[in-house]
Amino acid sequence: MAFILVLTGIAVIIFQAPVPPRVDENVTPEPERPPWPAGPVVIVASQTSAVKTPYPPDFVCDGQDDQKEIAAAFRALPPKGGTVVLMDGTFYCTDSFDPANNSTLMGQGPDMTVLNFLSAGSVRMNSGKDIRLSNFGITGKGSVYISTSDVDVEDVEVFHVDNSYIAAFMIYAANEVIENVTFVNCRAVDVDRWGFVHSGEGKPNIVRDCTYTNCQAINCGRYDQYYGVDHQYGEAWDVGFDIAESLQSADNISYIDCHAEGCWESGFHAESHVLLTNIRLINCTSSDNAQKQKIGGEEVDFGAGFLVNEGMYLENCTSENNTAGFHCSRVDDSYLVNCLDRGSEKGFLMLTIGEKGLHLRSCATEDTVEPVYVWTGPTLNVTLEDMAIHSQTLRPAAGITVNALARNPDGIFVRDSVISGYDPGIVNLAENRGRVKVANVSVIGSEKNFINCNVITI
């Protein structure tokens, strides 16, 4: 801003800085929207869309059977593909729809663009390649259903869906191999069903080469549960992340920075009959699961933060307040590195360990009721190294317990570890089958350090 001041024939130009507009602290800032896509674009507006677009919408929904306009938008894309942009608002769907080959379905954000399925349905990918979903939410009776390869899902949230289907996000291998699927920043929140599931039927039915990054499964089955499409099951097993349900095999699956919380059964789960290879969980957390027991009053089958089976590698993973922190069942050639349990009933529960063994490195427990509990079955090659087992108050329970049902206590080796706040330090109740090997283990605050163990010098 400028104005002129005249002084005795001399004109002086004075500049005044513009007054910044007043910012109302109570005004919600405009949400950040995804960048406008390059290439061919077809725009679909909801009945209530209010956001202006660079171009007028190609389709405008009326709030009834909105999946028809969305499907028509995909048909309007050129053969080489492109992006269907859903604007803000709620799209009311009564059936599934299928994104096209080489296409993207993009909303304005999970809170801004919502697909409300009034009947059981899904954003369904039965065929095609190179399909991408991003930046929208799904509610009602909806899900994301993937039965093809080469799919990317980013910033998609499924929330408040009912129990008309088993999963919020499903990869389903029916007589085929599903591969190269990625999930980034996806969430299943307050869903009356399971969160993220791998399953299938026929032969082959294999899922491989999939990655989950920064995904969350919150309160899966906590408020209501999936009992089958026809409610034919008498019990529910809703979990957060199901690595392998009804599959021949799952291979090269990674979970990075993922979180499960408040689920009915377990946070991370895998069925033991499925061949698992190269399953990695890195920097994952799982807390307050086993709601089946905590609020439902039913006995849990697992209630685990992490169910660990064969061929799995966990690093920097944390369990908190679960029935079992790390439920290691039918494990063979599996590793837990720098993993922590805090406050669970059992921290590291072990049973039926294969010949290639279970190996814990630099793992810890804090105020866990029974930190390490070896329950039953073969225990041929179990190594616990650099463990830190700690309770703030002295507990009349062992830091490491080997149950009388364990078949091979002499196959268990504990070394270079510290146990504090538990009495005794290590107890072996299967002494008639052999003694647990112990080397360089310090026990603090216990009257009995080792019971039925073989203390050796290395």
Side-chain angles (χ1 to χ4, degrees):
M1 178 185 296
F3 59 90
I4 300 175
L5 178 65
V6 179
L7 298 175
T8 320
I10 301 175
V12 180
I13 301 176
I14 300 177
F15 290 90
Q16 181 177 0
V19 178
R22 179 180 177 181
V23 177
D24 190 341
E25 295 181 355
N26 296 320
V27 174
T28 302
E30 180 71 15
E32 184 177 350
R33 301 180 185 277
W36 194 256
V41 172
V42 177
I43 302 171
V44 183
S46 72
Q47 186 184 30
T48 58
S49 291
V51 176
K52 293 182 180 180
T53 65
Y55 309 98
D58 300 286
F59 296 89
V60 178
C61 297
D62 60 4
Q64 297 183 4
D65 301 324
D66 290 344
Q67 78 279 355
K68 294 181 179 179
E69 284 83 1
I70 299 173
F74 280 107
R75 292 194 298 270
L77 289 172
K80 67 179 182 179
T83 302
V84 170
V85 174
L86 301 180
M87 297 314 299
D88 65 305
T90 300
F91 296 81
Y92 294 92
C93 302
T94 55
D95 201 356
S96 302
F97 64 88
D98 301 77
N101 198 45
N102 298 313
S103 71
T104 295
L105 177 64
M106 187 188 86
Q108 305 306 300
D111 297 329
M112 296 293 295
T113 301
V114 176
L115 302 176
N116 186 354
F117 282 83
L118 305 179
S119 304
S122 63
V123 181
R124 180 181 60 194
M125 287 142 286
N126 278 333
S127 61
K129 300 286 186 181
D130 298 321
I131 300 172
R132 184 171 184 266
L133 311 179
S134 72
N135 289 283
F136 59 85
I138 293 176
T139 192
K141 297 176 179 292
S143 63
V144 172
Y145 180 90
I146 300 170
S147 188
T148 189
S149 298
D150 303 310
V151 176
D152 298 320
V153 186
E154 184 173 359
D155 291 306
V156 173
E157 180 173 322
V158 179
F159 62 97
H160 295 161
V161 290
D162 70 0
N163 61 1
S164 58
Y165 185 60
I166 187 173
F169 297 86
M170 170 64 83
I171 297 179
Y172 199 82
N175 302 300
E176 60 184 326
V177 176
I178 305 298
E179 58 189 353
N180 300 326
V181 179
T182 65
F183 292 87
V184 179
N185 301 332
C186 293
R187 289 163 42 96
V189 181
D190 296 338
V191 297
D192 298 339
R193 56 179 72 176
W194 308 26
F196 299 80
V197 178
H198 300 156
S199 194
E201 60 182 306
K203 291 184 179 180
N205 61 339
I206 297 169
V207 174
R208 66 189 184 198
D209 301 332
C210 298
T211 302
Y212 294 77
T213 304
N214 196 35
C215 294
Q216 298 182 1
I218 310 295
N219 297 333
C220 297
R222 180 168 187 157
Y223 306 112
D224 202 354
Q225 301 80 43
Y226 175 75
Y227 289 92
V229 174
D230 299 317
H231 217 81
Q232 68 269 33
Y233 305 132
E235 186 177 3
W237 302 275
D238 302 49
V239 301
F241 295 88
D242 190 356
I243 301 165
E245 186 62 20
S246 296
L247 293 173
Q248 287 178 288
S249 66
D251 175 54
N252 195 30
I253 313 292
S254 296
Y255 298 85
I256 303 167
D257 298 319
C258 292
H259 176 66
E261 179 181 341
C263 298
W264 188 245
E265 260 283 353
S266 298
F268 293 80
H269 177 86
E271 286 293 314
S272 59
H273 67 271
V274 180
L275 175 63
L276 302 177
T277 55
N278 199 23
I279 309 297
R280 298 179 302 277
L281 285 75
I282 310 297
N283 299 329
C284 292
T285 54
S286 188
S287 62
D288 200 29
N289 300 292
Q291 293 298 319
K292 184 178 187 177
Q293 175 177 294
K294 294 176 181 178
I295 64 175
E298 302 178 38
E299 184 176 350
V300 294
D301 292 283
F302 303 104
F306 301 88
L307 191 63
V308 183
N309 286 359
E310 66 176 344
M312 294 182 64
Y313 177 87
L314 285 71
E315 184 174 357
N316 297 330
C317 291
T318 300
S319 158
E320 188 166 4
N321 295 329
N322 298 291
T323 299
F326 299 83
H327 187 292
C328 306
S329 174
R330 301 188 185 278
V331 170
D332 199 10
D333 197 24
S334 294
Y335 292 81
L336 280 69
V337 179
N338 198 32
C339 292
L340 167 69
D341 179 79
R342 184 182 294 114
S344 296
E345 293 181 19
K346 289 181 171 61
F348 298 89
L349 173 62
M350 307 174 191
L351 63 153
T352 315
I353 310 302
E355 292 184 1
K356 294 182 180 179
L358 171 65
H359 310 284
L360 277 61
R361 303 282 187 269
S362 303
C363 294
T365 66
E366 297 176 1
D367 296 318
T368 302
V369 178
E370 294 182 284
V372 177
Y373 192 92
V374 184
W375 182 14
T376 186
T379 52
L380 295 172
N381 185 10
V382 178
T383 60
L384 292 79
E385 183 176 354
D386 192 29
M387 299 284 294
I389 296 172
H390 174 70
S391 174
Q392 296 185 58
T393 59
L394 182 63
R395 296 177 182 268
I400 299 174
T401 300
V402 179
N403 188 275
L405 297 175
R407 292 184 194 171
N408 313 97
D410 54 353
I412 302 169
F413 187 17
V414 186
R415 60 175 297 174
D416 304 327
S417 300
V418 177
I419 302 172
S420 64
Y422 293 89
D423 188 14
I426 302 175
V427 61
N428 171 24
L429 302 177
E431 70 276 9
N432 59 319
R433 298 190 182 96
R435 291 178 172 264
V436 175
K437 294 189 289 291
V438 177
N440 192 30
V441 174
S442 175
V443 180
I444 302 172
S446 172
E447 294 184 4
K448 297 179 180 179
N449 292 348
F450 313 114
I451 299 177
N452 300 323
C453 297
N454 181 17
V455 180
I456 61 178
T457 301
I458 298 179

